[in-house]
Every structure is written in structure tokens, then in C-alpha cells.
Amino acid sequence: PISRENNKIYIDTKLSDSNRTVTLIHEILHAVNNELSESFVDGLAEQLYQVLKDNKLLNKKYDRIQTRI
């Protein structure tokens, strides 16, 4: 979830690396436009993750985006 008070996104560290990255993308999309439907954001986050992964645009060492914000 997004904390509007301190502009931070909190992600469960128990999630797998790929799920943390998808969750981060998902929450960023909500932050950009909170009027997007949940199902649209879910699908778009998955698609963006796959594009980043397929094009090797994620952190190469860990194959994920660093989720400390």
C-alpha cells in the first residue's frame, strides 16, 4: 500500500522477488492515477514487469527492481 503521509510504498518482504516487483509497479500506477480500476492496474503491472524482464531492464544482479524506497 501507499502511504500518502510520507510518500512511501510499503511492500511485504515475504513476497518473491518477481511479486515484489509487480507489486511495486502496481502501486506506482495507482500513485500516478488513482482512478484506474484494480483489474486494469493488475494486468498492466504484470505486462510491464514482463517487458522489463524480457528486455533485461531489471537489476541484473538480483533480477528485480530494488524495492527499498
Side-chain angles (χ1 to χ4, degrees), residues 10-58:
Y10 295 94
I11 299 173
D12 186 348
T13 57
K14 295 175 187 161
L15 295 173
S16 68
D17 290 347
S18 61
N19 283 338
R20 275 190 293 206
T21 304
V22 170
T23 301
L24 177 62
I25 295 167
H26 176 107
E27 295 301 335
I28 290 169
L29 290 170
H30 277 305
V32 170
N33 185 341
N34 64 0
E35 294 184 17
L36 297 173
S37 74
E38 194 67 23
S39 61
F40 179 80
V41 171
D42 282 343
L44 185 55
E46 290 283 345
Q47 292 170 353
L48 288 171
Y49 170 76
Q50 197 60 52
V51 168
L52 293 170
K53 183 178 176 188
D54 290 349
N55 289 283
K56 300 180 184 356
L57 296 172
L58 297 174

